[in-house]
């Protein structure tokens, strides 16, 4: 029996990743312009966008638990995508603020865990094959970047109220690609039961807890930037096309970074934690530059740092989670990582960022990000020193 897997399912998986990331960049980068178009202020937009991360605190564990119990992440993702597709048709046809909040709460329940479960889907498909995670996540970066740069002028032509049409078209393609994917093999031995004992086992790893807490500090300014970038570009005199170029610049070089990580990253806990300390320091520098920006062109160039900062953190964080958490709880571990990186931090970022932006201006919002990222960098540096001094044993090697 050949040990070389058929390329067809993996090609489909790559294109699924391309289109699901392309779909989500429409929502992440342009939806705020729609909200501003219907009359919402920065603080109101921040509060509405904070619902997503708040809902994800419950949605990520729910879908992660379901994926582990069913051992069928593909079916779980299909359910999430269909729910998102149905609800987005309502979101863009409701103008009453109260109804928007209600519908968006339901929308976020299906949409927010999609990236975490897509990562789990990729990891499960490539398990035991020569394929690397970065080669698939690369397609996500390309989908994010290319869709953003094309969507800017398209939305300029169609008008902001028709953003939902672009979102729907891309999501339908992603659903069709998911339907083409073959069923996954179940993990040997099945999933371990997820209960308080399981969570206690995961939470007993103090390095994992430290990684999560410091990650929240670093993620808050990143989430503030994601939420308010489009409004910041417009405030500096940019167009919707410039918003697209800013998002393009943030993602296009992620592809190269993931390939380099696949080839050269040392799969050693101390090395990865040291990398997170460096990335957090680069985040600090990035937010300082954003605070000093005076034109949308400057913002576009500063966004090039996103590949090394967010891309570096995302890749290493995903790999570290796999090393910190036993294999039987892989889906739950990734859900917890995403829940804190984009959940807890996103709630804080929405309210804090909106309040700072509206009352003190964009410069103070980014300077707050400088302080938070610097604290995170110092924390990871201290963790790196401790791991270097005491060593670290993988959980599946214990006992």
């Amino acid at each position: 029996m050949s040990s070389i897997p058929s390329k067809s399912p993996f090609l489909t998986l790559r294109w699924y990743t391309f289109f699901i990331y392309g779909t989500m960049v429409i929502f992440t980068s342009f939806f705020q312009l729609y909200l501003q178009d219907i009359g919402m202020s920065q603080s109101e937009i921040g509060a509405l966008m904070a619902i997503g991360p708040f809902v994800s605190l419950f949605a990520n564990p729910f879908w992660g638990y379901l994926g582990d119990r069913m051992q069928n992440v593909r079916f779980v993702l299909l359910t999430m995508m269909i729910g998102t597709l149905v609800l987005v048709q309502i979101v863009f046809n409701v103008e009453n603020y109260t109804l928007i909040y209600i519908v968006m709460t339901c929308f976020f329940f299906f949409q927010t865990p999609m990236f975490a479960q897509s990562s789990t889907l990729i990891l499960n498909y490539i398990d035991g094959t020569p394929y690397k995670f970065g080669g698939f996540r690369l397609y996500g970066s390309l989908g994010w970047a290319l869709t953003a740069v094309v969507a800017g002028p398209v939305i300029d032509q169609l008008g902001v109220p028709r953003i939902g049409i672009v979102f729907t078209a891309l999501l339908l393609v992603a659903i069709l690609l998911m339907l083409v994917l073959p069923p996954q093999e179940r993990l040997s031995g099945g999933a371990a039961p997820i209960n308080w004992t399981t969570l206690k086992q995961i939470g007993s790893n103090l390095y994992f807890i430290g990684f999560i807490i410091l990650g929240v500090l670093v993620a808050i300014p990143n989430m503030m930037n994601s939420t308010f970038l489009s409004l910041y570009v417009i405030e500096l005199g940019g167009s919707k096309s410039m918003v697209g170029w800013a998002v393009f610049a943030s993602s296009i070089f992620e592809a190269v970074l993931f390939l380099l990580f696949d080839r050269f990253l040392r799969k050693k806990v101390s090395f990865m934690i040291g990398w997170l300390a460096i990335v957090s320091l680069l985040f600090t520098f990035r937010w300082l530059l954003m605070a000093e920006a005076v034109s949308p062109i400057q913002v576009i160039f500063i966004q090039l740092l996103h590949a090394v900062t967010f891309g570096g953190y995302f890749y290493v964080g995903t790999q570290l989670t796999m090393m910190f958490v036993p294999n039987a709880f892989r889906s739950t571990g990734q859900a917890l990582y995403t829940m804190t990186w984009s959940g807890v931090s996103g709630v804080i970022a929405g309210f804090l960022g909106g309040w700072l932006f509206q009352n003190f201006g964009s410069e103070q919002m980014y300077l707050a990000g400088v302080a938070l990222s610097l604290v995170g960098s110092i924390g990871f540096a201290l963790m790196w020193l401790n791991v270097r001094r005491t060593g670290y044993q993988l959980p599946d090697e214990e006992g």
Side-chain angles (χ1 to χ4, degrees):
M1 193 172 178
S2 175
S3 61
I4 301 175
S6 168
K7 290 185 178 180
S8 180
F10 295 97
L11 181 61
T12 304
L13 184 60
R14 286 189 176 101
W15 283 111
Y16 159 77
T17 308
F18 180 96
F19 278 99
I20 199 63
Y21 274 78
T23 302
M24 293 310 151
V25 75
I26 300 299
F27 173 77
T28 302
S29 302
F30 294 97
F31 184 60
Q32 295 89 332
L33 299 178
Y34 169 78
L35 296 175
Q36 189 177 59
D37 190 66
I38 63 174
M40 282 192 172
S41 66
Q42 286 100 334
S43 60
E44 287 172 332
I45 292 171
L48 179 61
M49 298 305 289
I51 292 176
F54 177 74
V55 170
S56 77
L57 297 176
F58 308 97
N60 267 298
F62 172 81
W63 293 108
Y65 169 84
L66 195 61
D68 280 337
R69 291 297 293 170
M70 294 182 66
Q71 290 288 279
N72 192 341
V73 179
R74 176 175 170 270
F75 175 79
V76 167
L77 270 166
L78 270 172
T79 304
M80 292 162 63
M81 286 191 288
I82 291 169
T84 300
L85 180 66
V86 170
L87 287 162
V88 80
Q89 309 312 312
I90 304 172
V91 168
F92 286 96
N93 288 287
V94 172
E95 293 187 3
N96 179 283
Y97 282 7
T98 303
L99 287 177
I100 287 178
Y101 276 84
I102 293 171
V103 175
M104 286 302 296
T105 300
C106 300
F107 172 86
F108 283 129
F109 178 75
F110 288 93
Q111 181 264 332
T112 50
M114 214 170 283
F115 285 158
Q117 294 310 308
S118 291
S119 293
T120 302
L121 182 83
I122 294 168
L123 291 168
N124 286 348
Y125 268 109
I126 66 176
D127 194 25
T129 75
Y131 292 101
K132 301 288 185 67
F133 176 76
F136 291 85
R137 182 57 178 79
L138 171 154
Y139 272 70
S141 297
L142 291 175
W144 187 275
L146 296 177
T147 302
V149 79
V150 171
V154 169
I155 291 169
D156 258 335
Q157 291 296 316
L158 292 177
V160 171
R162 291 191 171 88
I163 290 174
I165 295 173
V166 182
F167 183 95
T168 298
L170 291 167
L171 184 56
L172 282 171
V173 175
I175 289 172
L176 289 173
L177 288 167
M178 180 63 74
L179 290 170
V180 172
L181 280 173
Q184 289 183 282
E185 293 183 10
R186 293 175 179 270
L187 294 174
S188 58
I194 307 298
N195 47 39
W196 286 112
T197 303
T198 298
L199 295 176
K200 185 178 178 181
Q201 181 179 348
I202 294 174
S204 64
N205 186 329
L206 295 181
Y207 284 113
F208 182 60
I209 297 302
F211 159 67
I212 290 296
I213 292 172
L214 292 173
V216 168
L217 294 179
V218 176
I220 289 171
N222 184 69
M223 292 297 292
M224 287 195 297
N225 183 65
S226 297
T227 302
F228 297 103
L229 175 67
S230 58
L231 302 183
Y232 187 42
V233 170
I234 298 298
E235 179 187 72
L236 292 175
S239 64
K240 296 173 187 67
S241 293
M242 284 187 171
V243 172
W245 279 109
V247 177
F248 174 85
S250 73
S251 307
I252 190 60
F253 291 117
E254 275 188 0
V256 177
L257 186 78
F258 289 135
L259 288 177
L260 290 173
F261 274 171
D262 272 347
R263 186 172 180 84
F264 299 111
L265 184 69
R266 294 170 60 191
K267 299 296 172 60
K268 187 178 178 183
V269 171
S270 61
F271 182 85
M272 291 186 177
I273 293 174
W275 174 255
L276 291 184
I278 295 170
V279 166
S280 300
L281 193 59
L282 287 173
F283 263 126
T284 305
F285 177 62
R286 180 183 170 191
W287 306 137
L288 184 60
L289 290 177
M290 288 291 279
E292 299 299 322
V294 295
S295 75
I297 297 298
Q298 287 179 327
V299 170
I300 290 171
F301 281 105
I302 295 166
Q303 282 288 97
L304 291 171
L305 287 171
H306 183 84
V308 129
T309 50
F310 172 77
Y313 199 105
F314 174 88
Y315 187 102
V316 174
T318 300
Q319 301 297 319
L320 262 180
T321 300
M322 290 178 64
M323 299 177 81
F324 283 143
V325 176
N327 286 339
F329 312 128
R330 177 182 288 171
S331 186
T332 300
Q334 293 297 337
L336 287 170
Y337 166 49
T338 304
M339 179 180 74
T340 51
W341 172 260
S342 61
V344 173
S345 59
V347 173
I348 299 169
F351 286 105
L352 178 63
W355 179 73
L356 288 171
F357 199 137
Q358 184 164 324
N359 294 287
F360 301 98
S362 51
E363 181 181 356
Q364 293 304 314
M365 181 183 75
Y366 281 112
L367 287 176
V370 169
L372 290 168
S373 297
L374 185 59
V375 172
S377 179
I378 294 169
F380 279 122
L382 293 174
M383 186 186 294
W384 173 77
L385 286 171
N386 194 56
V387 171
R388 291 273 295 179
R389 187 168 56 249
T390 63
Y392 181 81
Q393 187 177 32
L394 298 179
D396 288 327
E397 294 175 353
E398 294 172 354

